[in-house]
Amino acid sequence: MAHIVSTRPLIDEGLSGVRDDHTLTVCDPPDGSTRSVDDLIALTDGADVLLSVLADPITEELFAARPELQMVAQYAVGVDNIDLDAAAAHDVAVTHTPDVLTDATADQAWALLLAAARRVPAADRYVREGRFERWETTLLMGTELSRKTLGIVGMGRIGTAVARRALGFGMEVVYHNRTRANPTVERQVNARYVGLDELLKTSDVVSLHCPHNEDSHHLLDAAAFANMKASALLVNTARGPVVDEAALVDALANGEIAGAGLDVFEEEPDVHPGLVEQERVVLAPHLGSATTGTRTRMAQMCVASITALLEGADHVPHRLV
């Protein structure tokens, strides 16, 4: 019987596969804070498997302190928080949950886009505060999306799913990627490959779906915002550091772009105060995968990987290390 430590509470239905056969310890910081490496070292005393989330710093220090650790099962697609080289050096398996959240995250991108375009949060506050006294001709004017141009940065699974939804809005889709997408995919979503500068100059909406790495860090900076339409909207459901938040605040304040919908933040969970103050920005607490079905399937994928490793299977699903 193995000892599995989960750093956050997950949907019980998804964890049923390990509760019966192993010892499962589910932790949650009482103050809602994120954990340090020292916290994780303390939590993993005697653990065989660590079930982690993106906010957990999984480092060389942790692996060195817990040589009995066999596996890190990441409850996420991204593994930015895990030192994969250190895991390999310490012979610790690492798995993640790819492909499961494509549609949920694409839906979230569109939810943020529609909310920003039609000023839904401001309208909601207006009604709740008792200010709705009569229909007005110019109240909370928004932006139509029909026949506008959607620029997608990162045409992977999620970016493609976002582009597919744009067909229903009659939008033109352009995209930028490190490599051009398969021509069949381009035809299916009626998307045109362009350089980043052209995408920024011509798009009415810029939606980010690229990974965060050295090349994409602050990909949208002051120069990028200056290149965008004054009427453009930015949507980010990718990674916070892809956007220079200080530059975004300045761009919004100076009218270089019209608004934004953000599900991720540069110093998450901290949010730049200038974004909080902006009426034209829609903010969400990293809800891209936050549907009951998706989060349950993510837990089930972690369980399948853990079970395979502990049972000595020849193949461990979704293994990176």
Side-chain angles (χ1 to χ4, degrees), residues 82-142:
I82 302 175
D83 187 333
L84 298 179
D85 292 335
H90 287 270
D91 197 26
V92 177
V94 176
T95 64
H96 66 150
T97 59
D99 306 337
V100 69
L101 48 70
T102 296
D103 285 323
T105 305
D107 287 349
Q108 177 70 356
W110 272 94
L112 290 170
L113 171 52
L114 288 166
R118 296 305 302 268
R119 306 187 64 182
V120 173
D124 180 81
R125 288 192 298 272
Y126 186 85
V127 173
R128 291 178 188 277
E129 292 168 2
R131 291 187 285 157
F132 182 30
E133 297 180 352
R134 67 175 191 177
W135 180 82
E136 299 285 356
T137 57
T138 58
L139 176 65
L140 295 169
M141 303 287 279

Side-chain angles (χ1 to χ4, degrees), residues 29-211:
D31 58 358
S33 63
T34 56
R35 291 188 171 89
S36 66
V37 176
D38 289 340
D39 293 334
L40 292 174
I41 291 172
L43 287 178
T44 52
D45 185 15
D48 300 291
V49 176
L50 177 62
L51 213 169
S52 60
V53 299
L54 272 172
D56 298 326
I58 314 296
T59 65
E60 159 67 30
E61 186 180 354
L62 171 64
F63 295 129
R66 293 290 177 231
E68 69 278 11
L69 192 66
Q70 300 177 45
M71 179 182 194
V72 174
Q74 175 92 329
Y75 183 76
V77 175
V79 289
D80 305 2
N81 60 309
I82 302 175
D83 187 333
L84 298 179
D85 292 335
H90 287 270
D91 197 26
V92 177
V94 176
T95 64
H96 66 150
T97 59
D99 306 337
V100 69
L101 48 70
T102 296
D103 285 323
T105 305
D107 287 349
Q108 177 70 356
W110 272 94
L112 290 170
L113 171 52
L114 288 166
R118 296 305 302 268
R119 306 187 64 182
V120 173
D124 180 81
R125 288 192 298 272
Y126 186 85
V127 173
R128 291 178 188 277
E129 292 168 2
R131 291 187 285 157
F132 182 30
E133 297 180 352
R134 67 175 191 177
W135 180 82
E136 299 285 356
T137 57
T138 58
L139 176 65
L140 295 169
M141 303 287 279
T143 300
E144 293 180 21
L145 297 177
S146 178
R147 296 178 298 279
K148 297 294 177 63
T149 298
L150 170 63
I152 294 176
V153 181
M155 189 65 112
R157 290 181 178 86
I158 297 172
T160 301
V162 169
R164 187 173 296 113
R165 286 155 174 76
L167 294 173
F169 285 81
M171 299 186 78
E172 178 184 356
V173 177
V174 296
Y175 77 95
H176 179 73
N177 217 34
R178 287 180 297 178
T179 58
R180 187 164 181 170
N182 186 299
T184 301
V185 173
E186 290 184 338
R187 288 193 298 271
Q188 287 175 343
V189 297
N190 196 27
R192 181 167 56 90
Y193 181 69
V194 297
L196 182 60
D197 285 347
E198 181 179 346
L199 183 147
L200 294 174
K201 287 178 181 178
T202 61
S203 295
D204 299 290
V205 177
V206 175
S207 192
L208 303 179
H209 304 284
C210 55

